């Protein structure tokens, strides 16, 4: 029996983009949903986006590297001399302020990879590599070795991963298909012209026996509505998020820009104070 699967990844807190992607998938007749990780940050979504996924038939739910920033902020020592570490820790504190402890426990218990059968095909699913949910091994220009590694130790027919925010259809050395659905909330391209399309991206799979078809979807959403929500919710690093939403500019590796914002808004001390309070609540 034919089945339609919507594959979502890398929401990064973009509530409006996720709502648009889910609405499109429902209209297209999705039977089930797979989520490949990075639900949070730097957007305003927290408990509400967890609930959005809980209301649909999510049969695979993975933990991304940005989701791990929640754990890192609580359980590890933050290096306040590194502006980008302050950036992720302050955003993590924002998320934890806006969701119950049960959400945190649920997200931290999720796997970083899984296998799932649909019809007569077996899919291996991961955020990045099956053994680790961070790193740059699977960028589109990476060595073939890393793409083949998606199948190592896994008896699967198709590999699907997220993390790079770029839609991909390619093959392993033995011809097995490898796909990436792109990012729901933060699509990316090295080329500025290609970043101008800020639509929410996801993948719709249609599986029938050993046959599957891949439909890479690009769904418009209202960026102004997303920014209004971020403003109303007092999202930290609001201006940086605006640049991401409208222009596709990310700042997790931009210590200079983030450091300037940290100084302007006093985020170093604010992050210290918030994490001190949160550690008392969470422990």
């Amino acid at each position: 029996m034919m089945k339609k699967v919507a594959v979502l990844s890398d929401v990064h807190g973009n509530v409006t983009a996720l709502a648009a992607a889910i609405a499109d998938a429902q209209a297209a007749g999705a039977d089930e949903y797979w989520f490949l990780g990075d639900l949070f940050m730097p957007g305003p979504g927290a408990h509400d986006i967890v609930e959005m996924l809980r209301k649909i038939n999510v049969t695979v739910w993975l933990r991304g590297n940005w989701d791990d920033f929640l754990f890192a902020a609580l359980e590890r020592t933050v290096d306040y001399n590194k502006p980008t570490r302050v950036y992720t820790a302050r955003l993590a504190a924002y998320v934890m302020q806006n969701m119950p402890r049960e959400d945190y426990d649920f997200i931290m218990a999720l796997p970083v990879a899984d296998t799932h059968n649909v019809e007569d095909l077996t899919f291996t699913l991961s955020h990045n590599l099956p053994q680790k949910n961070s790193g740059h091994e699977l960028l589109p220009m990476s060595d073939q070795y890393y793409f083949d590694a998606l199948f190592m130790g896994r008896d699967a027919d198709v590999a699907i991963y997220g993390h790079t925010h770029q839609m991909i259809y390619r093959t392993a050395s033995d011809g097995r298909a490898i796909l990436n659905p792109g990012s729901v909330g933060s699509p990316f391209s090295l080329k500025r012209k290609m970043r101008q399309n800020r639509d929410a991206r996801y993948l719709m799979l249609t599986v029938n026996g050993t046959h599957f078809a891949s439909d890479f979807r690009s769904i418009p959403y209202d960026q102004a509505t997303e920014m209004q929500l971020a403003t109303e919710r007092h999202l930290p690093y609001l201006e940086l998020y605006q640049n991401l939403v409208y222009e596709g500019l990310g700042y997790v590796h931009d210590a200079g820009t983030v450091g300037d914002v940290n100084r302007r808004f006093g985020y170093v001390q604010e992050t210290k104070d918030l994490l001190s309070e949160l550690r008392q609540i969470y422990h």
Side-chain angles (χ1 to χ4, degrees):
M1 181 173 125
M2 185 179 73
K3 183 170 283 190
K4 285 191 171 186
V5 182
V7 186
L8 311 170
S9 190
D10 296 276
V11 172
H12 286 284
N14 192 325
V15 179
T16 316
L18 178 59
I22 290 175
D24 183 77
Q26 289 174 325
D31 299 298
E32 63 180 278
Y33 297 78
W34 299 342
F35 180 67
L36 305 186
D38 277 3
L39 194 59
F40 305 118
M41 299 177 276
H47 176 66
D48 51 346
I49 50 178
V50 176
E51 284 300 294
M52 288 166 72
L53 290 182
R54 283 178 173 154
K55 289 177 181 177
I56 57 180
N57 185 27
V58 178
T59 56
V60 172
W61 196 327
L62 304 181
R63 190 181 80 248
N65 60 308
W66 277 70
D67 303 322
D68 280 349
F69 288 153
L70 302 180
F71 177 85
L74 279 184
E75 304 296 337
R76 298 175 187 163
T77 301
V78 177
D79 187 345
Y80 289 101
N81 294 314
K82 293 185 177 179
T84 57
R85 297 291 175 85
V86 175
Y87 174 68
T88 55
R90 178 62 186 91
L91 288 168
Y94 169 85
V95 172
M96 288 184 283
Q97 285 179 299
N98 291 282
M99 72 179 188
R101 172 65 187 266
E102 291 77 15
D103 285 357
Y104 175 87
D105 292 340
F106 171 75
I107 296 295
M108 290 302 103
L110 292 172
V112 299
D114 201 355
T115 57
H116 199 73
N117 295 321
V118 181
E119 294 286 290
D120 297 325
L121 292 175
T122 299
F123 295 81
T124 178
L125 306 163
S126 54
H127 184 67
N128 185 49
L129 287 169
Q131 300 81 13
K132 62 190 288 264
N133 62 3
S134 62
H136 299 105
E137 296 88 350
L138 293 169
L139 296 174
M141 69 293 291
S142 295
D143 189 273
Q144 182 68 41
Y145 167 84
Y146 294 109
F147 292 96
D148 291 345
L150 287 165
F151 291 102
M152 285 183 184
R154 291 170 176 256
D155 184 17
D157 306 298
V158 181
I160 307 180
Y161 74 100
H163 188 53
T164 68
H165 297 210
Q166 299 171 82
M167 290 175 161
I168 291 173
Y169 189 132
R170 60 174 294 158
T171 65
S173 294
D174 62 5
R176 284 181 286 182
I178 298 171
L179 302 95
N180 188 312
S183 170
V184 170
S186 181
F188 176 74
S189 174
L190 288 170
K191 191 168 178 61
R192 182 177 179 181
K193 184 176 182 180
M194 300 306 294
R195 289 200 303 268
Q196 292 176 6
N197 180 354
R198 306 307 306 152
D199 290 355
R201 314 290 175 83
Y202 79 97
L203 170 65
M204 182 70 82
L205 289 175
T206 302
V207 187
N208 189 357
T210 59
H211 300 273
F212 78 93
S214 51
D215 180 7
F216 289 91
R217 311 279 286 180
S218 181
I219 310 305
Y221 74 95
D222 191 339
Q223 287 101 328
T225 296
E226 177 67 10
M227 289 311 306
Q228 181 179 350
L229 182 67
T231 302
E232 291 171 353
R233 293 185 178 182
H234 305 289
L235 178 71
Y237 301 98
L238 183 66
E239 63 186 279
L240 300 190
Y241 187 57
Q242 178 171 301
N243 292 341
L244 176 66
V245 168
Y246 284 106
E247 300 178 46
L249 300 177
Y251 294 92
V252 72
H253 301 297
D254 187 347
T257 299
V258 172
D260 289 342
V261 176
N262 288 344
R263 286 187 288 273
R264 243 176 29 198
F265 289 91
Y267 280 144
V268 172
Q269 189 60 50
E270 185 174 275
T271 303
K272 291 178 180 178
D273 294 342
L274 285 172
L275 290 180
S276 177
E277 294 173 11
L278 286 165
R279 286 170 183 144
Q280 294 181 36
I281 295 170
Y282 274 70
H283 291 150

